[in-house]
Amino acid sequence: MSVVRGAGDLEEGLRELAELIHDIGGERIGSPDVHGKRVYVPLTARDGERYVLRIVVERYLAQPPCCTFVDEHYQETPEAWPAPHPAGPFRSPTFICTPPTAEFYRYHRDREYDPSDGTLANAVATIFVALNAPAYQGRWGSRRAR
């Protein structure tokens, strides 16, 4: 894992994420793969589907993280997404509508971002919970999701 040099806050965020993975991730939250300001985290949903969450951190904690799903080669594709559901946060394949994502705050201009919510650990935990909630309906385009 490579860490962005000179980004002390991001380094701390990666340490907190490693603690989350160690404490509660088990085999269901994988180790992050860091490429500069892009952090890729494998997440396993309640049905065993494996997703890769890409988190882009331009200014760690000063701005909310940009989050999306990508395939195992880190390419954006609709098939990398969970199916949308009205009770869930996935507006597949466009954006994830939940704090602390930047996409949520762009859509909900009446909500104010709190930097203490924008940690890598919080973003990963929030999206992991959504992948394991009753509103999760499987992978985009799967027979189960239809």
Side-chain angles (χ1 to χ4, degrees):
M1 169 172 57
S2 63
V3 177
V4 177
R5 298 291 167 222
D9 289 339
L10 181 56
E11 290 176 10
E12 177 62 25
L14 290 166
R15 281 192 290 278
E16 291 172 358
L17 179 57
E19 288 176 24
L20 170 80
I21 293 167
H22 178 265
D23 292 347
I24 64 165
E27 298 294 315
R28 301 180 56 81
I29 303 175
S31 296
D33 186 13
V34 182
H35 295 256
K37 295 180 179 185
R38 295 174 186 261
V39 180
Y40 300 90
V41 182
L43 303 172
T44 303
R46 65 185 176 117
D47 64 354
E49 284 284 341
R50 185 176 179 271
Y51 295 90
V52 178
L53 177 66
R54 181 182 70 202
I55 307 168
V56 178
V57 288
E58 289 297 327
R59 292 180 52 225
Y60 188 64
L61 298 180
Q63 296 175 335
C66 294
C67 298
T68 193
F69 290 100
V70 295
D71 69 14
E72 65 275 1
H73 303 290
Y74 302 160
Q75 300 300 308
E76 291 186 39
T77 175
E79 294 78 19
W81 281 78
H85 186 279
F90 306 123
R91 305 299 181 259
S92 309
T94 309
F95 71 103
I96 303 169
C97 190
T98 187
T101 70
E103 297 78 10
F104 171 86
Y105 293 104
R106 275 197 290 274
Y107 187 80
H108 296 279
R109 297 193 184 274
D110 59 316
R111 298 284 299 270
E112 188 173 324
Y113 170 66
D114 180 345
S116 66
D117 293 337
T119 66
L120 290 173
N122 190 42
V124 168
T126 299
I127 295 166
F128 177 73
V129 166
L131 288 170
N132 288 278
Y136 169 76
Q137 297 294 303
R139 185 171 292 276
W140 173 272
S142 73
R143 227 180 284 181
R144 178 174 177 254
R146 289 185 191 150

